Amino acid sequence: MENRELADRVAQLLGEPGPLGIVQAGDPVLRQKTASYDGQLGDDVLRQLIGRMRETMEKTHNAVGLAAPQVGLPLRLAVLATPEALTARLVESGREPVPFTVLINPSYEPAGGPQTMSFEGCLSVSGWQAAVARPDRITLTREDETGRRLVEEHAGLGARIVQHETDHLDGVLYLDRAELRSLSTAEQVVKRWGPAGLAATAEQLGFRLP
């Protein structure tokens, strides 16, 4: 997408009221490697786009992240955060919630330690979840909305969300990395596999844990 075409598409999105529409699997934009952000939109438009992506994420049930390709833009930009209800549960269980974070031109590398497996879903694969093994600790390199370059360590849920959203920017869906024998409707995951635990899920559905 040329810069002028990108700017026109962003202007169109920002001119539409309410949460942005979510692109579903099968749209080629989800399979493209995105263009690095190098100021194509200007600071004010970038802030507006980030704000609308945040609004869309926060108004979508259980969403923890949103990447630009999911709203039709092949741009290396994503936002993430744990929603209020999940944040409360994480704090109660002694785990770290994920604050609102902007990923611009992100990349990550495993930072040692084991892989862990957990069910993931995606706004662009509506209604389904599958178990994905990922490094539990990563080193993230990113820029924020002010253009600062940051190098950070992330672990646990935060590391998983960063990897999921950064993968979107490389044209990768979580299903590409998933154990497909675990593929389940979101309802099954909540009612059956969540209470059962991942070890029982793996045994009953016939896949191996890392």
Side-chain angles (χ1 to χ4, degrees):
M1 184 177 287
E2 298 294 330
N3 286 354
R4 181 70 261 167
E5 184 182 357
L6 174 66
D8 289 345
R9 177 59 180 146
V10 171
Q12 179 184 359
L13 289 177
L14 295 179
E16 298 169 355
L20 303 174
I22 304 296
V23 171
Q24 292 299 304
D27 191 307
V29 72
L30 294 173
R31 292 309 197 174
Q32 297 174 16
K33 187 172 179 64
T34 54
S36 295
Y37 181 73
D38 59 6
Q40 299 97 313
L41 301 178
D43 293 347
D44 186 56
V45 174
L46 177 64
R47 282 193 296 270
Q48 291 181 58
L49 176 59
I50 290 170
R52 291 294 299 281
M53 288 176 65
R54 181 176 189 174
E55 174 194 14
T56 302
M57 177 180 68
E58 291 178 345
K59 290 187 176 181
T60 304
H61 182 62
N62 287 334
V64 295
L66 183 67
Q70 294 181 276
V71 296
L73 301 174
L75 191 64
R76 207 160 185 80
L77 166 68
V79 298
L80 53 93
T82 47
E84 187 175 338
L86 177 56
T87 292
R89 294 199 299 273
L90 291 170
V91 171
E92 287 173 4
S93 65
R95 292 182 290 167
E96 289 289 327
V98 180
F100 178 72
T101 304
V102 177
L103 305 180
I104 296 177
N105 300 331
S107 61
Y108 67 85
E109 296 289 343
Q115 285 199 333
T116 59
M117 182 171 273
S118 182
F119 272 96
E120 294 184 19
C122 180
L123 298 178
S124 293
V125 189
S126 183
W128 297 91
Q129 295 188 29
V132 184
R134 294 189 186 271
D136 191 55
R137 184 175 296 275
I138 62 168
T139 300
L140 167 69
T141 302
R142 69 178 175 103
E143 297 166 25
D144 67 10
E145 58 271 44
T146 70
R148 289 187 305 162
R149 183 178 183 273
L150 303 167
V151 180
E152 305 165 335
E153 296 287 323
H154 290 264
L157 178 61
R160 182 169 293 273
I161 298 171
V162 166
Q163 291 172 80
H164 180 113
E165 298 307 328
T166 302
D167 281 356
H168 269 302
L169 307 182
D170 292 324
V172 175
L173 296 177
Y174 81 97
L175 289 174
D176 299 330
R177 302 188 186 276
E179 171 51 70
L180 291 183
R181 290 188 68 92
S182 71
L183 186 64
S184 305
T185 64
E187 182 180 16
Q188 285 276 33
V189 173
V190 171
K191 292 185 176 180
R192 182 191 298 266
W193 303 131
L198 202 58
T201 303
E203 181 179 1
Q204 293 182 58
L205 293 183
F207 64 91
R208 292 185 177 183
L209 298 178

CSV table of all heavy atoms in Angstrom, one decimal, residues 135-190:
chain,number,residue,atom,x,y,z
A,135,PRO,N,7.4,-19.2,23.9
A,135,PRO,CA,8.4,-18.9,24.9
A,135,PRO,C,7.7,-18.1,26.0
A,135,PRO,O,6.9,-17.2,25.8
A,135,PRO,CB,9.4,-18.0,24.2
A,135,PRO,CG,9.3,-18.4,22.8
A,135,PRO,CD,7.9,-18.7,22.6
A,136,ASP,N,8.0,-18.4,27.3
A,136,ASP,CA,7.4,-17.8,28.4
A,136,ASP,C,8.0,-16.4,28.7
A,136,ASP,O,7.5,-15.6,29.5
A,136,ASP,CB,7.4,-18.7,29.6
A,136,ASP,CG,6.5,-18.1,30.8
A,136,ASP,OD1,5.3,-17.9,30.5
A,136,ASP,OD2,7.0,-17.9,31.9
A,137,ARG,N,9.2,-16.2,28.2
A,137,ARG,CA,10.0,-15.0,28.5
A,137,ARG,C,10.6,-14.5,27.2
A,137,ARG,O,11.2,-15.3,26.5
A,137,ARG,CB,11.0,-15.2,29.6
A,137,ARG,CG,11.8,-13.9,30.0
A,137,ARG,CD,12.7,-14.2,31.1
A,137,ARG,NE,12.0,-14.6,32.3
A,137,ARG,CZ,11.4,-13.8,33.2
A,137,ARG,NH1,11.6,-12.5,33.0
A,137,ARG,NH2,10.8,-14.2,34.2
A,138,ILE,N,10.4,-13.2,26.9
A,138,ILE,CA,11.0,-12.7,25.6
A,138,ILE,C,11.6,-11.3,25.9
A,138,ILE,O,11.4,-10.7,26.9
A,138,ILE,CB,9.9,-12.5,24.5
A,138,ILE,CG1,8.8,-11.5,25.0
A,138,ILE,CG2,9.2,-13.8,24.2
A,138,ILE,CD1,7.8,-11.0,23.9
A,139,THR,N,12.5,-11.0,24.9
A,139,THR,CA,13.0,-9.6,24.8
A,139,THR,C,12.3,-8.9,23.7
A,139,THR,O,12.4,-9.4,22.5
A,139,THR,CB,14.5,-9.6,24.6
A,139,THR,OG1,15.1,-10.3,25.7
A,139,THR,CG2,15.1,-8.2,24.6
A,140,LEU,N,11.6,-7.8,24.0
A,140,LEU,CA,10.9,-7.0,23.0
A,140,LEU,C,11.6,-5.8,22.7
A,140,LEU,O,12.1,-5.0,23.6
A,140,LEU,CB,9.5,-6.7,23.6
A,140,LEU,CG,8.7,-5.6,22.8
A,140,LEU,CD1,8.2,-6.2,21.4
A,140,LEU,CD2,7.5,-5.2,23.6
A,141,THR,N,11.8,-5.5,21.4
A,141,THR,CA,12.3,-4.2,20.9
A,141,THR,C,11.1,-3.5,20.2
A,141,THR,O,10.5,-4.1,19.3
A,141,THR,CB,13.4,-4.4,20.0
A,141,THR,OG1,14.5,-5.1,20.6
A,141,THR,CG2,14.0,-3.0,19.5
A,142,ARG,N,10.8,-2.3,20.6
A,142,ARG,CA,9.7,-1.5,20.0
A,142,ARG,C,10.0,0.0,20.1
A,142,ARG,O,10.9,0.4,20.7
A,142,ARG,CB,8.4,-1.8,20.8
A,142,ARG,CG,8.4,-1.2,22.2
A,142,ARG,CD,7.1,-1.5,22.9
A,142,ARG,NE,7.0,-1.1,24.3
A,142,ARG,CZ,6.4,0.0,24.7
A,142,ARG,NH1,5.8,0.8,23.9
A,142,ARG,NH2,6.5,0.4,26.0
A,143,GLU,N,9.1,0.7,19.4
A,143,GLU,CA,9.0,2.1,19.5
A,143,GLU,C,7.7,2.4,20.1
A,143,GLU,O,6.7,1.7,19.9
A,143,GLU,CB,9.2,2.8,18.2
A,143,GLU,CG,10.5,2.6,17.5
A,143,GLU,CD,10.5,3.0,16.1
A,143,GLU,OE1,9.7,3.9,15.7
A,143,GLU,OE2,11.3,2.5,15.3
A,144,ASP,N,7.6,3.5,20.9
A,144,ASP,CA,6.3,3.9,21.4
A,144,ASP,C,5.7,5.0,20.5
A,144,ASP,O,6.3,5.4,19.5
A,144,ASP,CB,6.3,4.3,22.9
A,144,ASP,CG,7.1,5.6,23.2
A,144,ASP,OD1,7.5,6.3,22.2
A,144,ASP,OD2,7.4,5.9,24.3
A,145,GLU,N,4.6,5.6,21.0
A,145,GLU,CA,3.9,6.6,20.1
A,145,GLU,C,4.7,7.9,20.0
A,145,GLU,O,4.4,8.7,19.2
A,145,GLU,CB,2.5,6.8,20.6
A,145,GLU,CG,2.4,7.3,22.1
A,145,GLU,CD,2.3,6.1,23.1
A,145,GLU,OE1,3.0,5.1,22.9
A,145,GLU,OE2,1.5,6.3,24.0
A,146,THR,N,5.7,8.1,20.9
A,146,THR,CA,6.5,9.3,20.8
A,146,THR,C,7.7,9.1,20.0
A,146,THR,O,8.5,10.0,19.8
A,146,THR,CB,6.9,9.8,22.2
A,146,THR,OG1,7.9,8.9,22.8
A,146,THR,CG2,5.7,9.9,23.1
A,147,GLY,N,8.0,7.9,19.5
A,147,GLY,CA,9.1,7.6,18.7
A,147,GLY,C,10.3,7.1,19.5
A,147,GLY,O,11.4,6.8,18.9
A,148,ARG,N,10.2,6.9,20.8
A,148,ARG,CA,11.3,6.4,21.6
A,148,ARG,C,11.5,4.9,21.3
A,148,ARG,O,10.5,4.1,21.2
A,148,ARG,CB,10.9,6.5,23.1
A,148,ARG,CG,11.0,7.9,23.7
A,148,ARG,CD,10.8,7.8,25.2
A,148,ARG,NE,9.6,7.1,25.6
A,148,ARG,CZ,9.4,6.6,26.8
A,148,ARG,NH1,10.3,6.7,27.7
A,148,ARG,NH2,8.2,5.9,27.0
A,149,ARG,N,12.7,4.5,21.2
A,149,ARG,CA,13.1,3.1,21.0
A,149,ARG,C,13.2,2.4,22.4
A,149,ARG,O,14.0,2.9,23.2
A,149,ARG,CB,14.3,2.9,20.2
A,149,ARG,CG,14.7,1.4,19.9
A,149,ARG,CD,15.9,1.4,19.0
A,149,ARG,NE,16.2,0.0,18.6
A,149,ARG,CZ,17.0,-0.8,19.4
A,149,ARG,NH1,17.5,-0.4,20.5
A,149,ARG,NH2,17.3,-2.0,19.0
A,150,LEU,N,12.6,1.3,22.7
A,150,LEU,CA,12.6,0.7,24.0
A,150,LEU,C,13.0,-0.8,23.8
A,150,LEU,O,12.5,-1.4,22.8
A,150,LEU,CB,11.2,0.8,24.6
A,150,LEU,CG,10.7,2.2,24.8
A,150,LEU,CD1,9.2,2.2,25.2
A,150,LEU,CD2,11.5,2.9,25.9
A,151,VAL,N,13.7,-1.3,24.7
A,151,VAL,CA,14.0,-2.7,24.8
A,151,VAL,C,13.6,-3.2,26.2
A,151,VAL,O,14.0,-2.7,27.2
A,151,VAL,CB,15.5,-3.0,24.6
A,151,VAL,CG1,15.8,-4.5,24.7
A,151,VAL,CG2,16.0,-2.5,23.2
A,152,GLU,N,12.7,-4.2,26.2
A,152,GLU,CA,12.0,-4.6,27.4
A,152,GLU,C,12.0,-6.1,27.5
A,152,GLU,O,12.0,-6.8,26.5
A,152,GLU,CB,10.6,-4.1,27.4
A,152,GLU,CG,10.4,-2.6,27.2
A,152,GLU,CD,9.0,-2.2,26.9
A,152,GLU,OE1,8.3,-3.0,26.3
A,152,GLU,OE2,8.7,-1.0,27.1
A,153,GLU,N,11.9,-6.6,28.8
A,153,GLU,CA,11.7,-8.0,29.1
A,153,GLU,C,10.2,-8.2,29.4
A,153,GLU,O,9.6,-7.4,30.2
A,153,GLU,CB,12.5,-8.5,30.2
A,153,GLU,CG,14.0,-8.4,30.0
A,153,GLU,CD,14.5,-9.5,29.0
A,153,GLU,OE1,14.0,-10.6,29.1
A,153,GLU,OE2,15.4,-9.2,28.2
A,154,HIS,N,9.6,-9.2,28.8
A,154,HIS,CA,8.2,-9.5,29.1
A,154,HIS,C,8.1,-11.0,29.4
A,154,HIS,O,8.8,-11.8,28.8
A,154,HIS,CB,7.3,-9.2,27.9
A,154,HIS,CG,7.1,-7.8,27.7
A,154,HIS,ND1,6.0,-7.0,28.2
A,154,HIS,CD2,7.9,-6.9,27.0
A,154,HIS,CE1,6.2,-5.8,27.8
A,154,HIS,NE2,7.3,-5.6,27.1
A,155,ALA,N,7.2,-11.4,30.4
A,155,ALA,CA,7.1,-12.8,30.8
A,155,ALA,C,5.6,-13.1,31.0
A,155,ALA,O,4.8,-12.2,31.1
A,155,ALA,CB,7.8,-13.1,32.1
A,156,GLY,N,5.3,-14.4,30.9
A,156,GLY,CA,3.9,-14.8,31.2
A,156,GLY,C,2.9,-14.3,30.2
A,156,GLY,O,3.2,-14.3,29.0
A,157,LEU,N,1.8,-13.8,30.7
A,157,LEU,CA,0.7,-13.4,29.8
A,157,LEU,C,1.1,-12.2,28.9
A,157,LEU,O,0.8,-12.2,27.7
A,157,LEU,CB,-0.5,-13.0,30.6
A,157,LEU,CG,-1.7,-12.5,29.8
A,157,LEU,CD1,-2.3,-13.5,28.8
A,157,LEU,CD2,-2.8,-12.0,30.8
A,158,GLY,N,1.9,-11.3,29.5
A,158,GLY,CA,2.3,-10.2,28.7
A,158,GLY,C,3.2,-10.6,27.5
A,158,GLY,O,3.0,-10.1,26.4
A,159,ALA,N,4.1,-11.6,27.7
A,159,ALA,CA,4.9,-12.1,26.6
A,159,ALA,C,4.1,-12.8,25.6
A,159,ALA,O,4.3,-12.6,24.3
A,159,ALA,CB,5.9,-13.1,27.2
A,160,ARG,N,3.0,-13.5,26.0
A,160,ARG,CA,2.2,-14.2,25.0
A,160,ARG,C,1.4,-13.2,24.1
A,160,ARG,O,1.3,-13.3,22.9
A,160,ARG,CB,1.2,-15.1,25.8
A,160,ARG,CG,0.3,-15.9,24.8
A,160,ARG,CD,-0.5,-17.0,25.6
A,160,ARG,NE,0.5,-18.0,26.1
A,160,ARG,CZ,0.8,-19.1,25.4
A,160,ARG,NH1,0.4,-19.2,24.2
A,160,ARG,NH2,1.7,-19.9,25.9
A,161,ILE,N,0.9,-12.1,24.8
A,161,ILE,CA,0.1,-11.1,24.0
A,161,ILE,C,1.0,-10.4,23.0
A,161,ILE,O,0.7,-10.2,21.8
A,161,ILE,CB,-0.6,-10.1,24.9
A,161,ILE,CG1,-1.6,-10.9,25.8
A,161,ILE,CG2,-1.3,-9.1,24.1
A,161,ILE,CD1,-2.2,-10.0,26.9
A,162,VAL,N,2.2,-10.0,23.5
A,162,VAL,CA,3.2,-9.4,22.6
A,162,VAL,C,3.5,-10.2,21.4
A,162,VAL,O,3.5,-9.8,20.2
A,162,VAL,CB,4.5,-9.0,23.3
A,162,VAL,CG1,5.6,-8.6,22.3
A,162,VAL,CG2,4.2,-7.9,24.3
A,163,GLN,N,3.7,-11.5,21.6
A,163,GLN,CA,4.1,-12.4,20.5
A,163,GLN,C,2.9,-12.6,19.5
A,163,GLN,O,3.1,-12.5,18.3
A,163,GLN,CB,4.5,-13.8,21.0
A,163,GLN,CG,5.8,-13.8,21.8
A,163,GLN,CD,6.1,-15.1,22.5
A,163,GLN,OE1,6.5,-16.0,21.8
A,163,GLN,NE2,5.9,-15.1,23.8
A,164,HIS,N,1.7,-12.7,20.1
A,164,HIS,CA,0.5,-12.9,19.2
A,164,HIS,C,0.3,-11.6,18.3
A,164,HIS,O,0.1,-11.8,17.1
A,164,HIS,CB,-0.7,-13.1,20.1
A,164,HIS,CG,-2.0,-13.3,19.4
A,164,HIS,ND1,-2.7,-14.4,19.4
A,164,HIS,CD2,-2.8,-12.4,18.7
A,164,HIS,CE1,-3.8,-14.3,18.7
A,164,HIS,NE2,-3.9,-13.1,18.2
A,165,GLU,N,0.4,-10.4,18.9
A,165,GLU,CA,0.2,-9.2,18.2
A,165,GLU,C,1.3,-8.9,17.2
A,165,GLU,O,1.1,-8.5,16.0
A,165,GLU,CB,0.0,-8.0,19.1
A,165,GLU,CG,-1.2,-8.2,20.0
A,165,GLU,CD,-2.5,-8.5,19.3
A,165,GLU,OE1,-2.7,-8.0,18.1
A,165,GLU,OE2,-3.4,-9.2,19.9
A,166,THR,N,2.5,-9.2,17.6
A,166,THR,CA,3.7,-9.0,16.7
A,166,THR,C,3.6,-10.0,15.5
A,166,THR,O,3.9,-9.6,14.4
A,166,THR,CB,5.0,-9.1,17.4
A,166,THR,OG1,5.0,-8.2,18.5
A,166,THR,CG2,6.2,-8.8,16.5
A,167,ASP,N,3.2,-11.2,15.8
A,167,ASP,CA,3.0,-12.2,14.7
A,167,ASP,C,2.0,-11.6,13.6
A,167,ASP,O,2.2,-11.8,12.4
A,167,ASP,CB,2.5,-13.5,15.2
A,167,ASP,CG,3.5,-14.3,15.9
A,167,ASP,OD1,4.7,-13.9,15.8
A,167,ASP,OD2,3.2,-15.4,16.4
A,168,HIS,N,1.0,-11.0,14.1
A,168,HIS,CA,0.0,-10.4,13.1
A,168,HIS,C,0.8,-9.5,12.1
A,168,HIS,O,0.4,-9.4,10.9
A,168,HIS,CB,-1.0,-9.5,13.8
A,168,HIS,CG,-2.3,-10.3,14.2
A,168,HIS,ND1,-3.1,-11.0,13.3
A,168,HIS,CD2,-2.9,-10.5,15.4
A,168,HIS,CE1,-4.1,-11.5,13.9
A,168,HIS,NE2,-4.0,-11.2,15.2
A,169,LEU,N,1.8,-8.8,12.6
A,169,LEU,CA,2.5,-7.8,11.7
A,169,LEU,C,3.4,-8.5,10.7
A,169,LEU,O,3.9,-7.9,9.8
A,169,LEU,CB,3.3,-6.8,12.6
A,169,LEU,CG,2.4,-6.1,13.7
A,169,LEU,CD1,3.3,-5.2,14.5
A,169,LEU,CD2,1.2,-5.5,13.1
A,170,ASP,N,3.6,-9.8,10.9
A,170,ASP,CA,4.4,-10.6,10.0
A,170,ASP,C,3.5,-11.5,9.1
A,170,ASP,O,4.0,-12.4,8.5
A,170,ASP,CB,5.4,-11.4,10.7
A,170,ASP,CG,6.5,-10.6,11.4
A,170,ASP,OD1,6.9,-9.6,10.8
A,170,ASP,OD2,6.9,-10.9,12.5
A,171,GLY,N,2.2,-11.3,9.2
A,171,GLY,CA,1.3,-12.1,8.4
A,171,GLY,C,1.0,-13.5,9.0
A,171,GLY,O,0.6,-14.4,8.2
A,172,VAL,N,1.3,-13.6,10.3
A,172,VAL,CA,1.1,-14.9,10.9
A,172,VAL,C,-0.1,-14.9,11.9
A,172,VAL,O,-0.2,-14.0,12.7
A,172,VAL,CB,2.4,-15.2,11.8
A,172,VAL,CG1,2.2,-16.5,12.6
A,172,VAL,CG2,3.6,-15.4,10.8
A,173,LEU,N,-1.0,-15.9,11.7
A,173,LEU,CA,-2.1,-16.0,12.6
A,173,LEU,C,-1.7,-17.1,13.7
A,173,LEU,O,-0.9,-18.0,13.4
A,173,LEU,CB,-3.4,-16.5,11.9
A,173,LEU,CG,-3.9,-15.5,10.9
A,173,LEU,CD1,-5.1,-16.1,10.2
A,173,LEU,CD2,-4.3,-14.2,11.6
A,174,TYR,N,-2.4,-17.0,14.9
A,174,TYR,CA,-2.0,-17.9,15.9
A,174,TYR,C,-2.2,-19.4,15.5
A,174,TYR,O,-1.6,-20.3,16.0
A,174,TYR,CB,-2.8,-17.6,17.2
A,174,TYR,CG,-4.2,-18.1,17.2
A,174,TYR,CD1,-4.5,-19.3,17.9
A,174,TYR,CD2,-5.3,-17.4,16.6
A,174,TYR,CE1,-5.8,-19.8,17.9
A,174,TYR,CE2,-6.6,-17.9,16.6
A,174,TYR,CZ,-6.8,-19.1,17.3
A,174,TYR,OH,-8.1,-19.6,17.3
A,175,LEU,N,-3.2,-19.6,14.6
A,175,LEU,CA,-3.4,-21.0,14.1
A,175,LEU,C,-2.2,-21.6,13.4
A,175,LEU,O,-2.0,-22.8,13.4
A,175,LEU,CB,-4.6,-21.0,13.2
A,175,LEU,CG,-6.0,-20.8,13.8
A,175,LEU,CD1,-7.1,-20.6,12.8
A,175,LEU,CD2,-6.3,-21.9,14.8
A,176,ASP,N,-1.3,-20.7,12.8
A,176,ASP,CA,-0.1,-21.2,12.2
A,176,ASP,C,0.8,-21.9,13.2
A,176,ASP,O,1.6,-22.7,12.9
A,176,ASP,CB,0.6,-20.1,11.5
A,176,ASP,CG,-0.2,-19.5,10.4
A,176,ASP,OD1,-1.1,-20.1,9.8
A,176,ASP,OD2,0.0,-18.2,10.2
A,177,ARG,N,0.7,-21.5,14.5
A,177,ARG,CA,1.6,-22.0,15.5
A,177,ARG,C,0.8,-23.0,16.5
A,177,ARG,O,1.4,-23.5,17.4
A,177,ARG,CB,2.1,-20.8,16.4
A,177,ARG,CG,2.9,-19.8,15.5
A,177,ARG,CD,3.6,-18.8,16.5
A,177,ARG,NE,4.2,-17.7,15.7
A,177,ARG,CZ,5.5,-17.8,15.2
A,177,ARG,NH1,6.1,-18.9,15.3
A,177,ARG,NH2,6.0,-16.8,14.6
A,178,ALA,N,-0.5,-23.2,16.3
A,178,ALA,CA,-1.3,-23.9,17.2
A,178,ALA,C,-1.2,-25.4,17.1
A,178,ALA,O,-0.8,-25.9,16.0
A,178,ALA,CB,-2.7,-23.5,17.1
A,179,GLU,N,-1.5,-26.1,18.2
A,179,GLU,CA,-1.7,-27.5,18.1
A,179,GLU,C,-3.2,-27.7,17.6
A,179,GLU,O,-4.1,-27.5,18.4
A,179,GLU,CB,-1.6,-28.1,19.5
A,179,GLU,CG,-2.0,-29.6,19.7
A,179,GLU,CD,-1.4,-30.5,18.6
A,179,GLU,OE1,-0.2,-30.7,18.7
A,179,GLU,OE2,-2.2,-30.9,17.8
A,180,LEU,N,-3.3,-28.1,16.4
A,180,LEU,CA,-4.7,-28.1,15.8
A,180,LEU,C,-5.6,-29.1,16.4
A,180,LEU,O,-6.8,-28.9,16.3
A,180,LEU,CB,-4.6,-28.2,14.3
A,180,LEU,CG,-3.9,-27.0,13.5
A,180,LEU,CD1,-3.9,-27.3,12.0
A,180,LEU,CD2,-4.7,-25.7,13.9
A,181,ARG,N,-5.1,-30.2,17.0
A,181,ARG,CA,-6.0,-31.1,17.7
A,181,ARG,C,-6.7,-30.4,18.9
A,181,ARG,O,-7.7,-30.9,19.3
A,181,ARG,CB,-5.3,-32.3,18.1
A,181,ARG,CG,-4.8,-33.2,17.0
A,181,ARG,CD,-4.2,-34.5,17.6
A,181,ARG,NE,-5.3,-35.4,18.2
A,181,ARG,CZ,-6.0,-36.3,17.5
A,181,ARG,NH1,-5.8,-36.5,16.2
A,181,ARG,NH2,-6.9,-37.0,18.1
A,182,SER,N,-6.2,-29.3,19.3
A,182,SER,CA,-6.9,-28.6,20.4
A,182,SER,C,-7.9,-27.6,20.0
A,182,SER,O,-8.7,-27.1,20.8
A,182,SER,CB,-5.8,-27.8,21.2
A,182,SER,OG,-5.3,-26.7,20.4
A,183,LEU,N,-8.1,-27.4,18.7
A,183,LEU,CA,-9.0,-26.4,18.2
A,183,LEU,C,-10.4,-26.7,18.7
A,183,LEU,O,-11.0,-27.7,18.6
A,183,LEU,CB,-9.1,-26.5,16.6
A,183,LEU,CG,-9.9,-25.4,15.9
A,183,LEU,CD1,-9.3,-24.0,16.2
A,183,LEU,CD2,-10.0,-25.6,14.4
A,184,SER,N,-11.0,-25.6,19.3
A,184,SER,CA,-12.3,-25.8,20.0
A,184,SER,C,-13.0,-24.4,19.9
A,184,SER,O,-12.4,-23.4,19.7
A,184,SER,CB,-12.1,-26.0,21.5
A,184,SER,OG,-11.3,-27.1,21.8
A,185,THR,N,-14.3,-24.5,20.0
A,185,THR,CA,-15.1,-23.3,20.0
A,185,THR,C,-14.8,-22.6,21.3
A,185,THR,O,-14.4,-23.2,22.3
A,185,THR,CB,-16.6,-23.6,20.0
A,185,THR,OG1,-17.0,-24.3,21.1
A,185,THR,CG2,-17.0,-24.3,18.7
A,186,ALA,N,-14.9,-21.3,21.3
A,186,ALA,CA,-14.7,-20.5,22.5
A,186,ALA,C,-15.6,-21.0,23.7
A,186,ALA,O,-15.1,-21.0,24.8
A,186,ALA,CB,-14.9,-19.0,22.2
A,187,GLU,N,-16.8,-21.4,23.3
A,187,GLU,CA,-17.7,-21.9,24.4
A,187,GLU,C,-17.2,-23.1,25.0
A,187,GLU,O,-17.2,-23.3,26.2
A,187,GLU,CB,-19.1,-22.1,23.8
A,187,GLU,CG,-20.1,-22.6,24.8
A,187,GLU,CD,-21.5,-22.9,24.1
A,187,GLU,OE1,-21.5,-23.0,22.9
A,187,GLU,OE2,-22.4,-23.0,24.9
A,188,GLN,N,-16.6,-24.1,24.2
A,188,GLN,CA,-16.0,-25.3,24.8
A,188,GLN,C,-14.8,-25.0,25.7
A,188,GLN,O,-14.7,-25.6,26.7
A,188,GLN,CB,-15.6,-26.2,23.6
A,188,GLN,CG,-16.7,-26.9,22.9
A,188,GLN,CD,-17.1,-28.2,23.6
A,188,GLN,OE1,-17.1,-28.3,24.9
A,188,GLN,NE2,-17.5,-29.2,22.9
A,189,VAL,N,-14.0,-24.0,25.3
A,189,VAL,CA,-12.9,-23.7,26.1
A,189,VAL,C,-13.3,-23.2,27.5
A,189,VAL,O,-12.7,-23.5,28.5
A,189,VAL,CB,-12.0,-22.7,25.4
A,189,VAL,CG1,-10.9,-22.1,26.3
A,189,VAL,CG2,-11.4,-23.3,24.1
A,190,VAL,N,-14.3,-22.3,27.5
A,190,VAL,CA,-14.8,-21.7,28.7
A,190,VAL,C,-15.4,-22.8,29.6
A,190,VAL,O,-15.2,-22.9,30.8
A,190,VAL,CB,-15.7,-20.6,28.5
A,190,VAL,CG1,-16.4,-20.1,29.8
A,190,VAL,CG2,-15.0,-19.4,27.8
